[in-house]
Amino acid sequence: IKSSNFIFILGITYLDHAGSALFPESLLKAFTDDLRNNVYGNPHSQNISSKLTYDTIEHVRYRILKHFHTTAEDYTIIFTSGCTAALKLVAEAFPWIPEGTKQPSSRFCYLTDSHTSVVGMRAITASMNVLSVPIKQKEILLSEKNRLPSEEQNCTTPHLFSYPAQSNFSGTKYPLSWIQDIKSGKLHPIKIPGKWFVLLDAASYVSSSPLDLGVHQADFIPISFYKIFGFPTGLGALLVNNRIAPLLRKTYFGGGTAAAYLAGEDFYFPRKSIAERFEDGTVSFLDIIALKHGFDVLEKLTGGMEKIKQHTFALAHYTYTVLSTLKYANGAPVVRIYSDTDFSNPDVQGPIINFNVLDEDGEVIGFSQVDKMASLYNIHVRTGCFCNTGACQMHLGISNEDIQRNLQAGHVCGDDIDLVDGRPTGSVRISFGYMSSFEDAQTFLKFIIATRLSKSDTDVPFQSSVTKFTTESVPDDHPSFNNADKLSPIPHISDRELRNNSSATKTTVSWQPPEAEAESIRAAVSETAVPTCRRGGKPITVTNIYLYPIKSCSAFEVTEWPVGNQGLLYDRNWMVVNQNGVCMTQKQEPRLCLVNPSIDLKKKVMVIQAEGMDPISVSLEENTGKEAVICESKVCSHRVKTYDCGERIADWFSSLLDRPCRLIRQSSDMKNRSHQKNTKGLASATNISLSLVNEAQYLLINVASILQLKEYISARLEEPLEIEELIRRFRANIVISAPESFEEEEWAEISIGALRFQVVGPCSRCQIICIDQQSGERNKEFLQSLSAARGRKTNFGIYLMNQPLRSSFPDILSVGSQVLPVLEENTEIQPPTSSEEKCSG
């Protein structure tokens, strides 16, 4: 299957099928061929093309019902934008009886192991004055004791109970027999008179298991089709049991739902069809037509859902069996698996494995670290709490108070803060789909073995020579700093281990502000002069300065350089984007490191060079003419305004990288965009201005730290390592020579000449450091070694911000300048509280 229908993922081990299935190429071909051969109009019109669309949509409805072993006599298909929209529709339309009426009031009950979108229904019920009650699994199992007295069994107050057919967290399959048991009164989620209806959240379940609604007749079944087919996205459905459909209430009415209405009076009469009554506006008719091809291709490739169920469970069972037996030399388990089953029966366990990786002492290794390592092996996993806080709390032992404390510590759903006070905030999930193979399972297991059971993993991680690291408060491996490429080096350091030649271009700048201005700046700084470190020893000096004019491209080394309000002048003022306008980095295109920009301040040009290409130049003067089209882009989550540098430059980069791409430059309109960071110590009224960086204006690294890391990595590689190469990989702006390794991690502020910097936090590295900045070749050993060396963290270097200059003239940052640091009162530097991981520059 994979070699013929999933060529685009060859070389990738995709293990997030619970997040989304992958679409086969044959599905796209069948769909696009259909669109080429037929004209589909708006189904609300009466012309020939519209009639074809309407009839095709009705055929797809029947096909969906057939897939779930039911008919139009029992169920109605209401198309929605996804499972979440279907759940919202139920919450809004269910015939609730609120508190405060003469009748007994309704209850909304849901299993705590439910998706966020189910739990979120309680916000709607609350607005209707209806109480919500979370139910734990064990409470359902004991609920036969809640049988009502006979005099209360005739109450008709409607209640709704929702539970997942399969947990999207652990893959546990909850009994489908609950549907009939609850509807018949054999089971009661809570002891209250009334009539129970059942919402079966089937989004996770139906992606890999057959659902027979002829046997298990839930009242509401929400689904999302991308979970099954991978395409189309943004399309789901609510299957409604026709016995409750007439009871549903609706307030808003949109196009296509009215049989008649008056614009001038409060008169509206709905259409008779339940589907047409609830499908406001024009449905996504082309996407619905794609479903027909989805069902056809799925059946042709797999032979049906029962075979998918057996295939995916076999892969999960094998992986679980091996994973659960992996041990360190001391007998400690390598992983902790979160499961309610022993993976022995596909009727109670789906193809999902949820776990955390442990070290030899049984401590959890943060999920973001595991994700980073997996990416080095081209393995795609899911991490976090998977929009299922209830299951996450239950399996990881996270209390309600923990959730609130974690929020105060900066952790929010979906970020990469994986440890708070040394305890996990989430976990790692792998899941299999019908196109998964035995090789995928083996690749994943080999990855775990290679990264956890190699001989080097038993080495003692080295620590800062100044202080030991702790896991207190927010962890240093905070996701917002997985931007390793953001700063990288090309070294030239006067050390006996270093060579005096460097591949980076080095230049000297003679431009200085007028002496009177310079003196006023220095006088202002001296008023709040930064004291030196609390230890004696040799002075700390700047050894190298690098800027990166084009984000994620090669470094440009200088001996001195003007500093503006955004950092080094022209640092990351440009970036390369793909045909969709999305920023390209070395994560997606390692060859960007082969692009060598250099800046000539006198000629006011940037010259761009690459092997095999003629040099090309770009003016430093901003294009403010009418032909400059200003557009909005994003760098991580930060909105920036940019303008295109023209066709000539676009052709140059497209030719070099063998793909359509363009060079864009940050517009001065957005050069005062502020970055909300913890900048205590800086003027409170100050807005920190950024270029196209991800996190901060500068990255600083220490030669002493590099030397210590060099010894560790060389030992693991079993080959000598040039320190220049290592510095290049870390893409810093400022390289210093301090007496002690990692002492920079204790600094709160530093001053260099007239410049004063606030330490924002540590830089948590990603796979960019695995890319050789001279060849573009990858070697995953570098990130693995850093993680092992730092004790499961990947921090290296510190981020800096400086106050905007009080002068209109830029100051100068120079090699050889003395660095004066101030120590943190708390010697642990905490990372910033944003959650941008997947960007680099």
Side-chain angles (χ1 to χ4, degrees), residues 394-700:
M394 177 177 66
H395 285 285
L396 274 65
I398 302 173
S399 68
N400 293 347
E401 293 73 23
D402 290 335
I403 294 288
Q404 295 169 10
R405 278 196 298 268
N406 292 349
L407 178 63
Q408 292 175 346
H411 171 56
V412 297
C413 292
D415 69 14
D416 280 357
I417 298 181
D418 48 18
L419 297 172
V420 175
D421 295 332
R423 299 178 60 193
T425 62
S427 53
V428 182
R429 186 186 72 185
I430 62 170
S431 49
F432 298 96
Y434 73 84
M435 70 290 296
S436 298
S437 64
F438 181 66
E439 289 72 25
D440 292 334
Q442 283 192 315
T443 298
F444 168 75
L445 291 168
K446 289 176 181 177
F447 151 68
I448 294 292
I449 292 170
T451 56
R452 299 313 312 157
L453 298 179
S454 62
K455 63 178 183 178
S456 54
D457 285 314
T458 62
D459 295 342
V460 179
F462 64 73
Q463 306 289 355
S464 163
S465 59
V466 180
T467 182
K468 286 191 174 182
F469 290 91
T470 69
T471 55
E472 293 179 353
S473 189
V474 184
D476 278 5
D477 48 3
H478 183 296
S480 58
F481 282 80
N482 298 353
N483 306 318
D485 133 303
K486 176 186 305 207
L487 334 265
S488 92
I490 301 176
H492 187 88
I493 303 171
S494 57
D495 183 280
R496 66 176 105 177
E497 281 204 57
L498 308 185
R499 298 178 179 179
N500 289 325
N501 62 332
S502 168
S503 61
T505 307
K506 186 180 288 191
T507 187
T508 300
V509 180
S510 57
W511 176 36
Q512 297 281 353
E515 187 57 33
E517 276 295 346
E519 279 303 316
S520 65
I521 297 170
R522 295 185 180 97
V525 172
S526 66
E527 292 176 7
T528 54
V530 182
T532 59
C533 271
R534 291 192 294 269
R535 67 170 57 85
K538 295 186 296 184
I540 303 170
T541 58
V542 175
T543 61
N544 302 76
I545 300 170
Y546 304 98
L547 61 148
Y548 305 83
I550 305 175
K551 183 178 175 68
S552 224
C553 291
S554 181
F556 173 51
E557 183 177 5
V558 296
T559 56
E560 55 182 23
W561 197 254
V563 172
N565 285 341
Q566 292 183 296
L568 293 171
L569 195 63
Y570 300 118
D571 184 45
R572 294 175 178 86
N573 268 206
W574 294 263
M575 65 181 178
V576 182
V577 297
N578 66 13
Q579 68 271 30
N580 297 320
V582 176
C583 175
M584 294 170 59
T585 73
Q586 289 184 30
K587 287 184 180 180
Q588 303 86 30
E589 182 50 83
R591 289 179 295 175
L592 283 172
C593 71
L594 306 179
V595 177
N596 296 290
S598 59
I599 288 180
D600 189 323
L601 292 175
K602 291 183 178 179
K603 295 182 179 179
K604 296 184 178 182
V605 296
M606 174 175 66
V607 178
I608 310 172
Q609 303 179 73
E611 187 174 349
M613 301 289 292
D614 293 332
I616 194 167
S617 61
V618 180
S619 173
L620 297 183
E621 294 183 351
E622 187 170 346
N623 184 358
T624 57
K626 293 182 179 180
E627 72 279 5
V629 178
I630 303 296
C631 59
E632 290 194 354
S633 304
K634 274 201 171 183
V635 178
C636 292
S637 67
H638 312 305
R639 183 173 62 90
V640 296
K641 283 189 177 180
T642 59
Y643 65 88
D644 193 284
C645 293
E647 295 299 327
R648 181 177 63 94
I649 305 295
D651 291 344
W652 192 94
F653 274 96
S654 299
S655 176
L656 174 68
L657 300 177
D658 300 317
R659 62 166 71 180
C661 53
R662 308 189 70 84
L663 184 69
I664 62 177
R665 183 179 184 180
Q666 184 181 18
S667 168
S668 59
D669 288 352
M670 285 294 286
K671 285 191 176 181
N672 59 354
R673 71 181 179 102
S674 62
H675 204 55
Q676 300 302 317
K677 290 292 179 186
N678 175 16
T679 54
K680 62 182 180 180
L682 296 181
S684 58
T686 294
N687 281 327
I688 299 299
S689 181
L690 297 181
S691 59
L692 300 177
V693 296
N694 302 326
E695 293 296 339
Q697 295 169 333
Y698 307 86
L699 175 69
L700 177 147

Side-chain angles (χ1 to χ4, degrees), residues 344-421:
S344 60
N345 185 349
D347 293 329
V348 297
Q349 177 64 51
I352 295 174
I353 304 174
N354 198 304
F355 63 96
N356 266 319
V357 177
L358 309 176
D359 65 15
E360 290 175 298
D361 298 321
E363 296 294 324
V364 171
I365 297 173
F367 60 73
S368 69
Q369 301 304 307
V370 178
D371 194 18
K372 287 179 186 178
M373 295 302 173
S375 68
L376 299 181
Y377 288 77
N378 264 340
I379 298 173
H380 297 195
V381 301
R382 179 81 177 264
T383 59
C385 270
F386 322 104
C387 295
N388 191 333
T389 298
C392 197
Q393 285 187 260
M394 177 177 66
H395 285 285
L396 274 65
I398 302 173
S399 68
N400 293 347
E401 293 73 23
D402 290 335
I403 294 288
Q404 295 169 10
R405 278 196 298 268
N406 292 349
L407 178 63
Q408 292 175 346
H411 171 56
V412 297
C413 292
D415 69 14
D416 280 357
I417 298 181
D418 48 18
L419 297 172
V420 175
D421 295 332

Side-chain angles (χ1 to χ4, degrees), residues 77-150:
I77 304 287
I78 300 173
F79 286 113
T80 65
S81 63
C83 182
T84 295
L87 291 164
K88 183 170 180 283
L89 191 157
V90 174
E92 293 171 337
F94 190 81
W96 308 104
I97 296 178
E99 294 284 311
T101 65
K102 294 181 179 180
Q103 303 178 62
S105 58
S106 298
R107 294 292 184 271
F108 169 51
C109 296
Y110 57 89
L111 204 66
T112 52
D113 184 359
S114 287
H115 193 277
T116 302
S117 298
V118 171
V119 180
M121 294 171 66
R122 73 187 184 195
I124 295 177
T125 63
S127 70
M128 298 178 178
N129 202 20
V130 173
L131 297 180
S132 299
V133 183
I135 303 293
K136 296 180 180 178
Q137 178 185 1
K138 62 181 180 181
E139 295 170 338
I140 283 287
L141 298 177
L142 298 173
S143 61
E144 282 189 307
K145 297 178 182 178
N146 291 331
R147 280 184 175 273
L148 295 168
S150 57

Side-chain angles (χ1 to χ4, degrees), residues 212-354:
D212 190 338
L213 294 181
V215 176
H216 306 292
Q217 295 192 348
D219 298 291
F220 305 99
I221 304 95
I223 58 174
S224 284
F225 291 106
Y226 74 93
K227 300 276 188 180
I228 307 173
F229 308 123
F231 176 86
T233 57
L235 180 65
L238 177 67
L239 284 71
V240 181
N241 193 308
N242 288 337
R243 282 173 291 186
I244 190 176
L247 303 178
L248 298 181
R249 302 166 179 168
K250 190 164 185 283
T251 51
Y252 174 81
F253 60 94
T257 65
Y261 76 94
L262 290 173
E265 295 183 21
D266 187 10
F267 172 77
Y268 162 75
F269 195 84
R271 286 182 177 268
K272 185 176 180 180
S273 163
I274 294 296
E276 291 179 327
R277 189 183 304 175
F278 281 92
E279 291 172 350
D280 290 305
T282 302
V283 294
S284 186
F285 55 90
L286 293 182
D287 287 336
I288 293 172
I289 291 169
L291 297 181
K292 172 191 178 298
H293 303 289
F295 285 114
D296 290 344
V297 170
L298 191 71
E299 181 69 28
K300 181 179 179 181
L301 293 179
T302 68
M305 294 305 300
E306 182 61 35
K307 290 185 177 179
I308 292 175
K309 172 185 171 181
Q310 298 299 331
H311 170 69
T312 55
F313 176 76
L315 295 176
H317 172 76
Y318 165 72
T319 306
Y320 169 86
T321 302
V322 176
L323 200 59
S324 59
T325 58
L326 293 179
K327 308 285 184 185
Y328 288 104
N330 65 358
V334 173
V335 300
R336 178 181 297 145
I337 298 176
Y338 305 111
S339 175
D340 299 310
T341 79
D342 60 359
F343 282 73
S344 60
N345 185 349
D347 293 329
V348 297
Q349 177 64 51
I352 295 174
I353 304 174
N354 198 304

